Amino acid sequence: MKIGSVKSIIALVLIALFCGNLSAQNLLKIRKIEVSGNSKTKEEIILRELNFKLKDSLSATDIEKYIEKSKQNLINTNLFLTVNILYNSSDQFIDVYIALKERWYLVVLPEVLLADRSFNEWWYERNRDLTRLTYGINAKHFNLSGNNDQLKAKIMGGFIPYFELSYAKPYIDKRKRIGIRTGVFYSTQRTMAYRTWNDKLDFFVSEKRMRERKGAIFELRLRNALYHFHAINLGYTNTTLADTITRLNPNYFETNTNNQEVFSFTYDYRFDQRDNRQYPLKGRLLYTQLSNFYVKGGYNQTNIFGLYSLFQPLKKSLFWESSARVKFSNPKKQYYPLISGLGYSNNLVRGYELYVIDGQHYGLWKNTLKYELLKKEFNLKKFIKLSQFSTLPLAIYPNAYFDIGYIKNYYPIYSNSKLSNKLLKGGGFGLDIVTWYNSNVKMYYSINQMGERKFFFGISRDI
């Protein structure tokens, strides 16, 4: 071998060793993780949410990224009002300090709910009828044993007497991957929606009991990675109707019976990288669901649902949100209680809040541009001594939005639908106010393609 070649090889080896030493020097080993402020929450629940663990080696250039992701994960547990993560680094080691401020976990409140789909339907369609209120006690413990386990009990009277008891524990195994949720419920109704007509719910008013429902659920959950969530849900529901309802709508159960027993199986998968699950500004969400409903007597229905949402900061204080949803179901002819089209929860084209559009399949695309007008925390210690309420977070986001959707209905004659089987468009301007415990107040003015213009209002909260 030539002397020149030997020198070249030696030079390459020295360069490789030098680069390796530089790389090693840039890696810092986590020597200590210290947690404070968790008087109720167990430390292992907190450590489970971190993107790193004790004795891990992190690149010096990536430390801030790991810290920020871990902070977002802890915020999304909904166990803490504030999360601060600090660190000290030396030539070889890094010490991490996590300072937390816990929420108020036990909430027992009188609760008043509207029996309708939303405040807007009650305000515009039901003439603000106060007899359509459901009221009672809603008790929740969000961290019963310090393991992020939740116990909920609800006892309601009024328009829809209702009882519910449930318990959920995120982890039952040593590796903290497998969790469970179980619950039971019972409700009765006198006045009830017995069909959809002209894309609106049609109610039968009565002082006698028209419907009784009872059931139970059991859910097995798997979190095999920080952002991957799986769930298998088994459910049972028994519904009994008065003869009047089946006469008014023979398609309600599609059979000559007043009773229906439904056994359900649902598999959910969620990939969730949102910075805040209650009001995200950055990240993405993928959610899929496969469900099957077996009605005693031989009827089977299968639903497939998918959602993908992207939350993107555009520049300072300006954010873009886009969400696409699709649903497919089989068979074409479905029992009325199992039809789920557009108009419930957030599955709607904004501008069509007052409509319920039945159908077997749908597609929905929602887009929102929002501006962060204000984001600040106010210290209320002079007025409120409880630490869980002594800080008032307040954020205000003016926004503009545009949605399009389409729903396929194979039997529009059953609901005299005028809005199914056509492209729907709607948009408008709004204002979101986010405050204590991720309470989110929405006020917005919508316009749809039929020229209808209305002001709408909504509120959601964690407690």
Side-chain angles (χ1 to χ4, degrees), residues 202-348:
D202 214 350
F203 282 82
F204 177 74
V205 181
S206 174
E207 290 301 315
K208 297 180 180 180
R209 180 182 295 181
M210 292 290 108
R211 183 171 70 173
E212 178 186 56
R213 295 177 72 241
K214 52 194 172 185
I217 63 100
F218 176 79
E219 186 171 276
L220 187 66
R221 298 170 172 178
L222 171 66
R223 187 182 181 188
N224 59 322
L226 270 176
Y227 304 108
H228 297 266
F229 303 82
H230 306 258
I232 293 176
N233 184 296
L234 303 176
Y236 169 77
T237 304
N238 187 310
T239 304
T240 301
L241 295 176
D243 293 339
T244 306
I245 300 300
T246 54
R247 284 197 301 267
L248 288 170
N249 184 3
N251 297 312
Y252 199 97
F253 283 161
E254 289 284 350
T255 55
N256 188 23
T257 180
N258 289 11
N259 180 263
Q260 185 183 82
E261 293 181 80
V262 179
F263 300 86
S264 63
F265 167 88
T266 302
Y267 167 73
D268 293 339
Y269 168 71
R270 176 166 54 96
F271 174 70
D272 195 342
Q273 280 193 320
R274 294 173 293 174
D275 60 344
N276 186 301
R277 289 176 191 166
Q278 276 62 50
Y279 198 84
L281 297 173
K282 181 182 179 182
R284 52 184 172 156
L285 168 67
L286 172 67
Y287 176 78
T288 60
Q289 183 184 82
L290 171 67
S291 55
N292 181 262
F293 302 91
Y294 172 75
V295 178
K296 189 176 181 180
Y299 175 85
N300 261 300
Q301 180 176 320
T302 301
N303 297 343
I304 299 173
F305 176 81
L307 175 150
Y308 180 76
S309 296
L310 179 67
F311 307 90
Q312 183 67 48
L314 299 179
K315 55 176 66 176
K316 185 179 180 181
S317 302
L318 193 64
F319 303 90
W320 174 260
E321 174 185 336
S322 186
S323 175
R325 310 162 189 234
V326 293
K327 180 202 168 186
F328 302 96
S329 62
N330 187 68
K332 293 180 179 179
K333 193 173 185 181
Q334 301 173 0
Y335 293 173
Y336 181 69
L338 298 180
I339 296 174
S340 178
L342 295 177
Y344 290 96
S345 186
N346 202 27
N347 294 319
L348 53 84

Side-chain angles (χ1 to χ4, degrees), residues 43-83:
E43 188 167 301
E44 55 263 31
I45 296 298
I46 297 162
L47 298 179
R48 173 68 172 83
E49 300 301 323
L50 304 182
N51 284 60
F52 50 82
K53 60 183 182 295
L54 203 63
K55 298 182 180 180
D56 275 358
S57 294
L58 303 181
S59 168
T61 57
D62 291 335
I63 290 173
E64 291 289 346
K65 181 175 68 175
Y66 279 95
I67 293 292
E68 183 60 29
K69 280 286 186 183
S70 299
K71 181 178 178 180
Q72 290 175 5
N73 295 342
L74 287 168
I75 290 171
N76 279 329
T77 64
N78 291 327
L79 294 174
F80 311 107
L81 288 175
T82 61
V83 176

Side-chain angles (χ1 to χ4, degrees), residues 35-43 45-46 74 77-84 98-106 141-148 386-391 436-437:
V35 182
S36 62
N38 56 319
S39 59
K40 177 72 174 179
T41 309
K42 294 184 177 179
E43 188 167 301
I45 296 298
I46 297 162
L74 287 168
T77 64
N78 291 327
L79 294 174
F80 311 107
L81 288 175
T82 61
V83 176
N84 290 298
I98 303 172
L100 306 167
K101 186 175 182 180
E102 292 185 315
R103 291 175 49 154
W104 185 270
Y105 294 127
L106 177 61
H141 201 300
F142 291 92
N143 198 10
L144 187 65
S145 66
N147 289 293
N148 196 16
L386 283 174
S387 62
Q388 292 88 346
F389 295 92
S390 61
T391 303
W436 262 325
Y437 289 82

